[in-house]
Coordinates of all heavy atoms in Angstrom, one line a residue:
D1 N -6.8 2.7 -12.5 CA -6.5 3.9 -11.6 C -5.0 3.7 -11.1 O -4.8 2.9 -10.3 CB -7.4 4.1 -10.5 CG -7.2 5.4 -9.7 OD1 -6.2 6.0 -9.8 OD2 -8.2 5.7 -8.9
Y2 N -4.1 4.6 -11.6 CA -2.7 4.5 -11.2 C -2.4 4.9 -9.8 O -1.4 4.7 -9.2 CB -1.8 5.3 -12.2 CG -1.7 4.6 -13.5 CD1 -2.3 5.2 -14.6 CD2 -0.9 3.5 -13.7 CE1 -2.1 4.7 -15.9 CE2 -0.7 3.0 -15.0 CZ -1.3 3.5 -16.1 OH -1.1 3.0 -17.3
C3 N -3.4 5.6 -9.2 CA -3.1 6.3 -7.9 C -4.0 5.7 -6.8 O -4.3 6.4 -5.8 CB -3.3 7.8 -8.0 SG -2.1 8.5 -9.1
D4 N -4.4 4.5 -6.9 CA -5.2 3.9 -5.8 C -4.9 2.4 -5.8 O -4.4 1.8 -6.8 CB -6.7 4.1 -6.0 CG -7.4 4.0 -4.7 OD1 -6.8 3.7 -3.6 OD2 -8.7 4.3 -4.7
V5 N -5.3 1.7 -4.7 CA -5.1 0.3 -4.5 C -6.4 -0.4 -4.8 O -7.5 0.0 -4.4 CB -4.7 0.0 -3.0 CG1 -4.7 -1.5 -2.7 CG2 -3.4 0.6 -2.7
D6 N -6.4 -1.5 -5.6 CA -7.6 -2.3 -5.8 C -8.1 -2.8 -4.5 O -7.3 -3.3 -3.7 CB -7.3 -3.4 -6.8 CG -8.6 -4.0 -7.3 OD1 -9.1 -4.9 -6.7 OD2 -9.0 -3.6 -8.4
P7 N -9.4 -2.8 -4.3 CA -10.0 -3.4 -3.1 C -9.6 -4.8 -2.8 O -9.5 -5.3 -1.6 CB -11.5 -3.2 -3.3 CG -11.6 -2.1 -4.2 CD -10.4 -2.2 -5.1
M8 N -9.3 -5.6 -3.9 CA -8.8 -6.9 -3.7 C -7.5 -7.0 -2.8 O -7.3 -7.9 -2.0 CB -8.4 -7.6 -5.0 CG -7.7 -8.9 -4.9 SD -7.1 -9.5 -6.5 CE -8.6 -10.0 -7.3
F9 N -6.7 -5.9 -2.9 CA -5.4 -5.9 -2.2 C -5.5 -5.0 -0.9 O -4.5 -5.1 -0.1 CB -4.3 -5.4 -3.1 CG -4.1 -6.3 -4.3 CD1 -4.3 -5.8 -5.6 CD2 -3.6 -7.6 -4.2 CE1 -4.1 -6.6 -6.7 CE2 -3.4 -8.4 -5.3 CZ -3.6 -7.9 -6.5
G10 N -6.5 -4.2 -0.8 CA -6.6 -3.4 0.4 C -6.9 -2.0 0.1 O -7.6 -1.6 -0.8
T11 N -6.2 -1.1 0.8 CA -6.3 0.3 0.7 C -5.0 1.0 0.7 O -3.9 0.4 0.9 CB -7.1 0.9 2.0 OG1 -6.3 0.7 3.1 CG2 -8.4 0.2 2.1
L12 N -5.0 2.3 0.4 CA -3.8 3.1 0.4 C -3.2 3.1 1.8 O -2.0 3.1 2.0 CB -4.1 4.6 0.0 CG -4.1 4.8 -1.5 CD1 -4.6 6.2 -1.8 CD2 -2.7 4.6 -2.2
A13 N -4.0 3.1 2.8 CA -3.5 3.0 4.2 C -2.7 1.7 4.4 O -1.7 1.7 5.1 CB -4.6 3.1 5.2
D14 N -3.2 0.6 3.8 CA -2.5 -0.7 3.9 C -1.2 -0.6 3.2 O -0.2 -1.2 3.7 CB -3.4 -1.8 3.3 CG -4.7 -2.1 4.0 OD1 -4.7 -1.8 5.2 OD2 -5.6 -2.6 3.4
F15 N -1.2 0.1 2.1 CA 0.1 0.3 1.4 C 1.1 1.1 2.2 O 2.3 0.7 2.4 CB -0.1 0.9 0.0 CG 1.2 1.2 -0.7 CD1 1.8 0.2 -1.4 CD2 1.9 2.4 -0.5 CE1 3.1 0.5 -2.1 CE2 3.1 2.7 -1.1 CZ 3.7 1.7 -1.9
D16 N 0.6 2.2 2.8 CA 1.5 3.0 3.6 C 2.0 2.2 4.8 O 3.2 2.3 5.2 CB 0.7 4.2 4.1 CG 0.4 5.2 3.0 OD1 1.0 5.1 2.0 OD2 -0.6 6.0 3.2
A17 N 1.2 1.4 5.4 CA 1.6 0.6 6.6 C 2.7 -0.4 6.2 O 3.7 -0.7 6.9 CB 0.4 -0.1 7.2
M18 N 2.5 -1.1 5.0 CA 3.5 -2.0 4.5 C 4.8 -1.3 4.2 O 5.9 -1.8 4.6 CB 2.9 -2.6 3.2 CG 3.8 -3.7 2.5 SD 5.1 -3.0 1.5 CE 4.1 -2.1 0.3
L19 N 4.7 -0.1 3.6 CA 5.9 0.6 3.3 C 6.7 1.0 4.5 O 7.9 0.9 4.6 CB 5.6 1.9 2.5 CG 6.7 2.8 1.9 CD1 7.5 2.0 0.9 CD2 6.1 4.1 1.4
T20 N 6.0 1.4 5.6 CA 6.6 1.8 6.8 C 7.3 0.6 7.5 O 8.5 0.7 7.9 CB 5.6 2.4 7.8 OG1 5.0 3.6 7.2 CG2 6.2 2.7 9.2
T21 N 6.6 -0.6 7.5 CA 7.2 -1.8 8.1 C 8.4 -2.2 7.3 O 9.5 -2.6 7.9 CB 6.2 -2.9 8.1 OG1 5.0 -2.5 8.9 CG2 6.8 -4.1 8.8
A22 N 8.4 -2.2 6.0 CA 9.5 -2.6 5.1 C 10.7 -1.7 5.5 O 11.8 -2.2 5.6 CB 9.1 -2.5 3.7
H23 N 10.5 -0.4 5.5 CA 11.6 0.5 5.8 C 12.2 0.3 7.2 O 13.4 0.4 7.4 CB 11.1 2.0 5.7 CG 11.0 2.4 4.2 ND1 10.3 3.5 3.8 CD2 11.3 1.8 3.1 CE1 10.3 3.6 2.5 NE2 10.9 2.6 2.0
E24 N 11.3 0.0 8.2 CA 11.8 -0.3 9.5 C 12.7 -1.6 9.5 O 13.6 -1.7 10.3 CB 10.6 -0.5 10.5 CG 9.9 0.7 10.8 CD 8.6 0.5 11.6 OE1 8.2 -0.7 11.7 OE2 8.0 1.5 12.0
L25 N 12.5 -2.5 8.6 CA 13.2 -3.7 8.5 C 14.4 -3.5 7.5 O 15.2 -4.5 7.3 CB 12.4 -4.8 8.0 CG 11.3 -5.3 8.9 CD1 10.3 -6.3 8.2 CD2 11.9 -6.1 10.1

């Protein structure tokens, strides 16, 4: 599934949070 996060790595919300933090840095 190209449009979702594998449960091993978390969720789409986890990705969004990571992306936000990266951009803040």
